[in-house]
Amino acid sequence: MAVLKVLVVDDEPGIRSGVSRILTNYQVTYPFMDEDYTFEVMEAATGEEGIEIIDRDRPDILLLDNKLPGIQGVGVLEYIRNKKLDIVTAMITSYASLEVAVKATRDGASDFIPKPFTPQELKSSIENISKQLYLKKVTHKMNKEGKKIRYQFLSVLSHELKAPLNALEGYLRMMQEKQAGENIDDYTNQIERSLHRIQGMRSLIMDLLDFTKIRLERKDEKMQELNMGELVSNSIVTVQPYAIQMEVNINLDVKNNPVITADPEDMNIIFNNLISNAVKYNKFGGRVDITIDTSDDDVILSVSDTGIGISDEDRENLFTEFMRVKSEQTKNITGSGLGLSIVKKIIELYNGKIEVESTPGTGSIFTVTLPKKPLTKM
Ligand code: ADP
């Protein structure tokens, strides 16, 4: 429930008290709004008094009579415009003067309420203004979030790419200056580390590409019947070089016949991320157990690891963009913090769900449930 402040500026006491009475128990609710609006009414009898209240209380809505003693309604509008205040104004007009209406609209009024008005006329005008205010707030929030994501995107990119580039440059300079010896074999260590750094940069770039590819809609024309067992086997092959380095054993158990209708690209993003995380955040010599099972309507994939685990607190934000757990154990593991947020978005496109169980120090289980045949779009 949000309260909008309404200021009524009119020299007729009857109008002011009428507005107060009508709006005091009025509530605006729309199915698309996630909050209801109620109203708190403030009254001013002159333009000067109105300006004082505007400066002090910053109303959201102004109901403004044009014909006032002293400073006129259009004068108050001008004041608001000059101070660049964000107040939605409806003019209360006793007679329809086109000239005043044009000037008031030019000066920022967005609605007109004829005088005298019925309670219903006032309510429908206030309802319109409330909708406008709500949409403005939502748009503002979306712009801000968009900007925040773009900013995080750039800072992650520059930070995550700078470190491996510096390392690579250092190793190449060592070789150029022959610091470890004359022979290429003297540099095996540096070459291996360079390749590892390049692999890190490559996976970061892949994550960013997936992230920018994320759609708000599924591409239904790309959906086809897929065998999940085959797709997961392919993902395991992709991750295998890293698993060998970590001496992590990956086991796959496919039960029943897990056929799903989906876009293979989407499924690959899900499997690659979950399986590579299970290896990346594992312990040296650990295990990853993957099972694929079916129920009547769903295919269920579970990826279980014997890794470092995730605390309850970190689990809460696990699927948020750029979220990475910062700890002694993760400090040398490269990543963008985007993988799981992408995975969750895709799963939601298919009306599926993802759940995580985890015990710090013991391991984690990620379980994905996807409908075998997702609903087609309306
Ligand atoms: P990234 O791996 O690129 O950092 P993700 O979005 O895939 O990003 O994962 C977010 C964070 O969640 C990781 O940084 C890691 O801290 C944690 N995490 C993900 N999967 C696991 C896992 N299987 N075990 C432990 N921690 C994990």
Side-chain angles (χ1 to χ4, degrees), residues 215-248:
R215 310 159 291 263
L216 290 174
E217 288 193 332
R218 248 168 29 206
K219 289 220 173 90
D220 280 4
E221 67 278 9
K222 290 209 176 165
M223 305 248 279
Q224 49 187 277
E225 282 208 341
L226 303 167
N227 184 315
M228 285 253 288
E230 277 171 27
L231 285 185
V232 171
S233 301
N234 290 340
S235 290
I236 294 174
V237 171
T238 315
V239 177
Q240 204 58 266
Y242 195 44
I244 290 169
Q245 270 179 35
M246 296 268 299
E247 290 187 14
V248 166

Short mmCIF file of all heavy atoms in Angstrom, two decimals, residues 215-248:
data_model
loop_
_atom_site.label_atom_id
_atom_site.label_comp_id
_atom_site.label_asym_id
_atom_site.label_seq_id
_atom_site.Cartn_x
_atom_site.Cartn_y
_atom_site.Cartn_z
N ARG A 215 16.96 -14.33 -24.17
CA ARG A 215 15.76 -13.71 -24.73
C ARG A 215 14.69 -13.69 -23.66
O ARG A 215 14.76 -14.41 -22.69
CB ARG A 215 15.26 -14.54 -25.90
CG ARG A 215 16.30 -14.87 -26.89
CD ARG A 215 15.88 -16.07 -27.69
NE ARG A 215 15.87 -17.28 -26.88
CZ ARG A 215 16.86 -18.15 -26.85
NH1 ARG A 215 17.92 -17.94 -27.55
NH2 ARG A 215 16.79 -19.23 -26.11
N LEU A 216 13.72 -12.89 -23.90
CA LEU A 216 12.59 -12.92 -22.97
C LEU A 216 11.59 -13.97 -23.43
O LEU A 216 10.66 -14.29 -22.75
CB LEU A 216 11.92 -11.55 -22.93
CG LEU A 216 12.77 -10.50 -22.24
CD1 LEU A 216 12.14 -9.15 -22.33
CD2 LEU A 216 12.98 -10.88 -20.78
N GLU A 217 11.83 -14.49 -24.64
CA GLU A 217 10.92 -15.49 -25.18
C GLU A 217 11.69 -16.71 -25.65
O GLU A 217 12.83 -16.60 -26.06
CB GLU A 217 10.20 -14.90 -26.40
CG GLU A 217 9.19 -13.86 -26.04
CD GLU A 217 8.32 -13.55 -27.22
OE1 GLU A 217 8.81 -13.72 -28.36
OE2 GLU A 217 7.17 -13.17 -27.01
N ARG A 218 11.04 -17.83 -25.60
CA ARG A 218 11.62 -19.04 -26.17
C ARG A 218 11.51 -18.95 -27.67
O ARG A 218 10.59 -18.36 -28.19
CB ARG A 218 10.75 -20.21 -25.74
CG ARG A 218 11.36 -21.14 -24.81
CD ARG A 218 10.34 -22.06 -24.24
NE ARG A 218 9.18 -22.34 -25.07
CZ ARG A 218 8.01 -22.70 -24.57
NH1 ARG A 218 7.85 -22.76 -23.27
NH2 ARG A 218 7.01 -22.97 -25.34
N LYS A 219 12.49 -19.58 -28.38
CA LYS A 219 12.34 -19.63 -29.84
C LYS A 219 11.66 -20.95 -30.19
O LYS A 219 12.31 -21.97 -30.36
CB LYS A 219 13.72 -19.57 -30.50
CG LYS A 219 14.37 -18.22 -30.40
CD LYS A 219 15.09 -17.88 -31.72
CE LYS A 219 15.61 -16.48 -31.72
NZ LYS A 219 16.96 -16.36 -31.21
N ASP A 220 10.33 -20.94 -30.26
CA ASP A 220 9.61 -22.20 -30.43
C ASP A 220 9.92 -22.88 -31.77
O ASP A 220 9.83 -24.09 -31.89
CB ASP A 220 8.10 -21.98 -30.27
CG ASP A 220 7.73 -21.91 -28.79
OD1 ASP A 220 8.67 -21.97 -27.96
OD2 ASP A 220 6.54 -21.81 -28.45
N GLU A 221 10.35 -22.08 -32.76
CA GLU A 221 10.66 -22.71 -34.06
C GLU A 221 11.92 -23.58 -33.98
O GLU A 221 12.15 -24.41 -34.83
CB GLU A 221 10.76 -21.66 -35.18
CG GLU A 221 11.91 -20.69 -35.11
CD GLU A 221 11.66 -19.50 -34.17
OE1 GLU A 221 10.64 -19.52 -33.44
OE2 GLU A 221 12.49 -18.58 -34.16
N LYS A 222 12.71 -23.38 -32.92
CA LYS A 222 13.93 -24.19 -32.78
C LYS A 222 13.72 -25.41 -31.88
O LYS A 222 14.64 -26.16 -31.62
CB LYS A 222 15.04 -23.32 -32.18
CG LYS A 222 15.55 -22.27 -33.11
CD LYS A 222 16.98 -22.00 -32.77
CE LYS A 222 17.60 -21.01 -33.72
NZ LYS A 222 18.84 -20.49 -33.19
N MET A 223 12.49 -25.56 -31.36
CA MET A 223 12.24 -26.66 -30.45
C MET A 223 12.14 -27.98 -31.22
O MET A 223 11.55 -28.03 -32.29
CB MET A 223 10.93 -26.42 -29.70
CG MET A 223 10.90 -25.09 -28.99
SD MET A 223 10.91 -25.26 -27.25
CE MET A 223 9.21 -25.59 -26.97
N GLN A 224 12.74 -29.00 -30.65
CA GLN A 224 12.68 -30.31 -31.27
C GLN A 224 12.77 -31.38 -30.19
O GLN A 224 13.14 -31.08 -29.05
CB GLN A 224 13.82 -30.46 -32.28
CG GLN A 224 15.17 -30.05 -31.69
CD GLN A 224 16.27 -30.04 -32.72
OE1 GLN A 224 16.83 -31.08 -33.01
NE2 GLN A 224 16.57 -28.88 -33.26
N GLU A 225 12.46 -32.62 -30.56
CA GLU A 225 12.57 -33.71 -29.58
C GLU A 225 14.04 -34.02 -29.36
O GLU A 225 14.79 -34.22 -30.32
CB GLU A 225 11.85 -34.95 -30.11
CG GLU A 225 10.37 -34.85 -29.96
CD GLU A 225 9.71 -36.21 -29.83
OE1 GLU A 225 10.32 -37.23 -30.19
OE2 GLU A 225 8.56 -36.24 -29.36
N LEU A 226 14.44 -34.04 -28.10
CA LEU A 226 15.85 -34.25 -27.80
C LEU A 226 16.00 -35.36 -26.78
O LEU A 226 15.16 -35.48 -25.88
CB LEU A 226 16.45 -32.99 -27.19
CG LEU A 226 16.36 -31.70 -27.98
CD1 LEU A 226 16.70 -30.52 -27.08
CD2 LEU A 226 17.31 -31.76 -29.16
N ASN A 227 17.08 -36.12 -26.91
CA ASN A 227 17.38 -37.10 -25.87
C ASN A 227 18.32 -36.45 -24.87
O ASN A 227 19.47 -36.14 -25.19
CB ASN A 227 18.02 -38.33 -26.52
CG ASN A 227 18.24 -39.41 -25.51
OD1 ASN A 227 18.73 -39.16 -24.41
ND2 ASN A 227 17.86 -40.63 -25.87
N MET A 228 17.82 -36.24 -23.66
CA MET A 228 18.62 -35.52 -22.66
C MET A 228 19.91 -36.26 -22.34
O MET A 228 20.93 -35.64 -22.06
CB MET A 228 17.81 -35.35 -21.37
CG MET A 228 16.76 -34.31 -21.47
SD MET A 228 17.16 -32.83 -20.56
CE MET A 228 16.98 -33.33 -18.89
N GLY A 229 19.85 -37.60 -22.36
CA GLY A 229 21.04 -38.40 -22.05
C GLY A 229 22.18 -38.05 -23.01
O GLY A 229 23.32 -37.82 -22.59
N GLU A 230 21.84 -37.94 -24.29
CA GLU A 230 22.88 -37.64 -25.29
C GLU A 230 23.46 -36.24 -25.08
O GLU A 230 24.66 -36.03 -25.14
CB GLU A 230 22.28 -37.70 -26.70
CG GLU A 230 22.21 -39.10 -27.25
CD GLU A 230 21.40 -39.14 -28.55
OE1 GLU A 230 21.35 -38.12 -29.25
OE2 GLU A 230 20.82 -40.21 -28.82
N LEU A 231 22.54 -35.28 -24.84
CA LEU A 231 23.02 -33.91 -24.66
C LEU A 231 23.94 -33.80 -23.44
O LEU A 231 24.97 -33.14 -23.49
CB LEU A 231 21.83 -32.96 -24.46
CG LEU A 231 21.00 -32.61 -25.69
CD1 LEU A 231 19.96 -31.57 -25.32
CD2 LEU A 231 21.88 -32.07 -26.80
N VAL A 232 23.54 -34.46 -22.35
CA VAL A 232 24.35 -34.39 -21.14
C VAL A 232 25.70 -35.07 -21.37
O VAL A 232 26.75 -34.57 -20.94
CB VAL A 232 23.59 -35.00 -19.93
CG1 VAL A 232 24.50 -35.13 -18.72
CG2 VAL A 232 22.40 -34.13 -19.57
N SER A 233 25.71 -36.19 -22.12
CA SER A 233 26.99 -36.84 -22.43
C SER A 233 27.91 -35.87 -23.17
O SER A 233 29.11 -35.79 -22.89
CB SER A 233 26.79 -38.07 -23.32
OG SER A 233 25.96 -38.98 -22.68
N ASN A 234 27.34 -35.12 -24.11
CA ASN A 234 28.16 -34.16 -24.86
C ASN A 234 28.73 -33.09 -23.93
O ASN A 234 29.88 -32.68 -24.07
CB ASN A 234 27.34 -33.46 -25.95
CG ASN A 234 26.99 -34.42 -27.06
OD1 ASN A 234 27.64 -35.47 -27.21
ND2 ASN A 234 25.97 -34.10 -27.84
N SER A 235 27.90 -32.63 -22.99
CA SER A 235 28.38 -31.62 -22.04
C SER A 235 29.53 -32.17 -21.20
O SER A 235 30.49 -31.47 -20.90
CB SER A 235 27.27 -31.16 -21.11
OG SER A 235 26.34 -30.41 -21.81
N ILE A 236 29.39 -33.45 -20.83
CA ILE A 236 30.46 -34.06 -20.01
C ILE A 236 31.77 -34.07 -20.79
O ILE A 236 32.83 -33.74 -20.26
CB ILE A 236 30.07 -35.49 -19.58
CG1 ILE A 236 28.87 -35.42 -18.62
CG2 ILE A 236 31.24 -36.20 -18.91
CD1 ILE A 236 28.30 -36.76 -18.22
N VAL A 237 31.68 -34.39 -22.10
CA VAL A 237 32.89 -34.42 -22.93
C VAL A 237 33.55 -33.03 -22.94
O VAL A 237 34.76 -32.89 -22.82
CB VAL A 237 32.54 -34.87 -24.37
CG1 VAL A 237 33.73 -34.70 -25.31
CG2 VAL A 237 32.07 -36.32 -24.36
N THR A 238 32.72 -31.98 -23.02
CA THR A 238 33.25 -30.61 -23.05
C THR A 238 34.00 -30.28 -21.76
O THR A 238 35.02 -29.61 -21.77
CB THR A 238 32.08 -29.60 -23.19
OG1 THR A 238 31.21 -30.08 -24.19
CG2 THR A 238 32.56 -28.22 -23.56
N VAL A 239 33.46 -30.76 -20.63
CA VAL A 239 34.04 -30.40 -19.33
C VAL A 239 35.22 -31.33 -18.96
O VAL A 239 36.04 -31.00 -18.10
CB VAL A 239 32.93 -30.47 -18.25
CG1 VAL A 239 33.46 -30.18 -16.87
CG2 VAL A 239 31.81 -29.51 -18.58
N GLN A 240 35.28 -32.48 -19.63
CA GLN A 240 36.23 -33.52 -19.24
C GLN A 240 37.70 -33.04 -19.07
O GLN A 240 38.32 -33.40 -18.06
CB GLN A 240 36.16 -34.66 -20.27
CG GLN A 240 36.61 -36.03 -19.79
CD GLN A 240 35.83 -36.54 -18.60
OE1 GLN A 240 36.26 -36.34 -17.46
NE2 GLN A 240 34.70 -37.18 -18.82
N PRO A 241 38.25 -32.21 -19.97
CA PRO A 241 39.65 -31.82 -19.78
C PRO A 241 39.88 -31.17 -18.42
O PRO A 241 40.89 -31.44 -17.75
CB PRO A 241 39.88 -30.79 -20.90
CG PRO A 241 38.85 -31.08 -21.93
CD PRO A 241 37.68 -31.65 -21.20
N TYR A 242 38.93 -30.35 -17.99
CA TYR A 242 39.05 -29.68 -16.70
C TYR A 242 38.91 -30.69 -15.56
O TYR A 242 39.64 -30.65 -14.57
CB TYR A 242 37.97 -28.60 -16.62
CG TYR A 242 38.20 -27.61 -15.52
CD1 TYR A 242 39.46 -27.07 -15.30
CD2 TYR A 242 37.16 -27.22 -14.68
CE1 TYR A 242 39.68 -26.16 -14.29
CE2 TYR A 242 37.37 -26.32 -13.66
CZ TYR A 242 38.64 -25.79 -13.46
OH TYR A 242 38.85 -24.91 -12.45
N ALA A 243 37.98 -31.65 -15.75
CA ALA A 243 37.77 -32.68 -14.73
C ALA A 243 39.04 -33.53 -14.56
O ALA A 243 39.41 -33.90 -13.44
CB ALA A 243 36.59 -33.57 -15.10
N ILE A 244 39.73 -33.80 -15.68
CA ILE A 244 40.95 -34.61 -15.61
C ILE A 244 42.01 -33.86 -14.79
O ILE A 244 42.63 -34.42 -13.90
CB ILE A 244 41.45 -34.96 -17.03
CG1 ILE A 244 40.47 -35.95 -17.68
CG2 ILE A 244 42.87 -35.54 -17.00
CD1 ILE A 244 40.69 -36.19 -19.16
N GLN A 245 42.13 -32.55 -15.07
CA GLN A 245 43.09 -31.75 -14.30
C GLN A 245 42.80 -31.79 -12.82
O GLN A 245 43.69 -31.84 -11.99
CB GLN A 245 42.98 -30.29 -14.73
CG GLN A 245 43.87 -29.90 -15.88
CD GLN A 245 43.62 -28.43 -16.21
OE1 GLN A 245 43.36 -27.61 -15.32
NE2 GLN A 245 43.70 -28.09 -17.48
N MET A 246 41.50 -31.75 -12.48
CA MET A 246 41.09 -31.73 -11.06
C MET A 246 40.98 -33.14 -10.48
O MET A 246 40.62 -33.31 -9.32
CB MET A 246 39.70 -31.06 -10.92
CG MET A 246 39.64 -29.62 -11.32
SD MET A 246 39.93 -28.56 -9.92
CE MET A 246 38.60 -28.97 -8.80
N GLU A 247 41.24 -34.12 -11.34
CA GLU A 247 41.05 -35.54 -10.98
C GLU A 247 39.65 -35.78 -10.40
O GLU A 247 39.47 -36.48 -9.39
CB GLU A 247 42.16 -36.00 -10.01
CG GLU A 247 43.49 -36.07 -10.73
CD GLU A 247 44.60 -36.68 -9.90
OE1 GLU A 247 44.31 -37.30 -8.85
OE2 GLU A 247 45.76 -36.53 -10.31
N VAL A 248 38.68 -35.17 -11.04
CA VAL A 248 37.28 -35.35 -10.62
C VAL A 248 36.64 -36.38 -11.55
O VAL A 248 36.79 -36.31 -12.77
CB VAL A 248 36.50 -34.01 -10.70
CG1 VAL A 248 35.00 -34.24 -10.59
CG2 VAL A 248 36.96 -33.07 -9.59
#
